[in-house]
Amino acid sequence: MNETYYSARSESQSEIVINKSRFITTLVPIADQNDAIEKVKIISKKYSDATHNCYAFISNKIATEQRFSDDGEPQGTAGIPMLEVLKKRRIYMTLAVVTRYFGGVKLGANGLVGAYSRSVSEALNAADIVENAYSEIVRVKCDYAYYKKVESTLLDSGAEIDDILYDEKVTLIVRMKGADNDSVKDKIIDTSLGQAEIETVEIKYCEYKLRGTGYENHID
């Protein structure tokens, strides 16, 4: 199982012009393969006057459901290059549609491959991309005397605190990347002098906002 993948948070568009041809890239979050196909139809209808509406997507979290279309471009010059960008950047659960308005200058096979790859790459660089990491949802309960130390330990480990409940004790609802966080839990126990109560609530994919600027800076 892939522990981390990336996806578009919301629909976005970007445009480049290459040798007078306009390439408009639309990125859209998708729920599954059927959702992706329906959104392809909507975008293609919106740009029904375009020369081509090529697309690519990976519609599950383990990257085994993949589809693409050259939509009339020479075989292998549009859909596959677009898909390769998504695969390289681990962009799943996201549809990429590149709409081309032909400008009168032929690009040739290599030129088309470069144009469609660049279109998707630049669209991803400009989009609101989030990290989706396989995570452990944990409930940590401790006395007020240890609360701030436990909180600091969690934040220092890279955990995300989703909620804090103040009652007889303090309860923190926490997301921790990965499903093996025993070392973090040990630190919490040590920090609280063995007093903290730790319970795993759920293990699932969770969304994390990328820090810093430029999605491309976060790609391996």
Side-chain angles (χ1 to χ4, degrees):
M1 176 179 291
N2 294 309
E3 290 194 357
T4 300
Y5 70 92
Y6 301 89
S7 61
R9 183 194 295 271
S10 58
E11 181 172 343
S12 63
Q13 284 188 334
S14 69
E15 179 176 340
I16 61 175
V17 177
I18 301 176
N19 287 347
K20 299 182 179 180
S21 281
R22 292 173 61 204
F23 293 86
I24 303 169
T25 301
T26 305
L27 298 174
V28 191
I30 55 175
D32 52 34
Q33 184 170 283
N34 291 334
D35 184 38
I37 295 300
E38 287 303 311
K39 287 176 177 173
V40 168
K41 293 176 182 177
I42 292 170
I43 295 168
S44 297
K45 184 177 180 180
K46 177 180 178 181
Y47 295 107
S48 59
D49 61 334
T51 316
H52 306 281
N53 284 290
C54 307
Y55 70 81
F57 63 81
I58 299 170
S59 55
N60 65 355
K61 299 171 183 178
I62 56 174
T64 56
E65 294 178 1
Q66 307 173 6
R67 288 190 65 172
F68 62 87
S69 170
D70 294 315
D71 192 38
E73 292 282 29
Q75 185 176 0
T77 61
I80 289 179
M82 293 167 62
L83 181 64
E84 286 302 313
V85 173
L86 299 181
K87 289 166 63 177
K88 180 180 179 180
R89 296 200 176 199
R90 302 200 300 277
I91 299 287
Y92 310 155
M93 310 304 293
T94 302
L95 164 68
V97 178
V98 177
T99 299
R100 182 189 183 193
Y101 286 90
F102 180 57
V105 179
K106 292 185 177 181
L107 301 181
N110 289 338
L112 287 172
V113 169
Y116 280 99
S117 298
R118 177 183 162 193
S119 296
V120 176
S121 291
E122 293 196 9
L124 290 171
N125 291 347
D128 184 6
I129 301 297
V130 294
E131 178 185 4
N132 301 272
Y134 201 56
S135 304
E136 187 173 3
I137 314 301
V138 176
R139 182 184 292 114
V140 180
K141 184 180 291 187
C142 65
D143 287 335
Y144 282 83
Y146 302 107
Y147 155 50
K148 284 298 181 181
K149 290 182 179 180
V150 168
E151 181 183 46
S152 294
T153 299
L154 287 166
L155 293 175
D156 289 345
S157 73
E160 299 276 351
I161 299 175
D162 288 334
D163 200 6
I164 302 176
L165 308 174
Y166 301 96
D167 203 345
E168 292 182 5
K169 292 186 176 183
V170 181
T171 301
L172 301 93
I173 308 300
V174 182
R175 279 176 290 142
M176 297 193 292
K177 293 181 184 180
D180 184 11
N181 295 285
D182 290 343
S183 62
V184 178
K185 295 174 185 176
D186 288 343
K187 288 179 182 178
I188 294 171
I189 295 298
D190 290 342
T191 298
S192 66
L193 302 180
Q195 185 271 336
E197 301 172 29
I198 304 172
E199 177 188 4
T200 298
V201 178
E202 189 176 7
I203 297 177
K204 64 178 184 179
Y205 279 101
C206 293
E207 185 178 288
Y208 297 83
K209 186 173 182 179
L210 294 175
R211 293 180 172 84
T213 58
Y215 162 68
E216 67 276 15
N217 296 332
H218 298 271
I219 302 303
D220 295 338

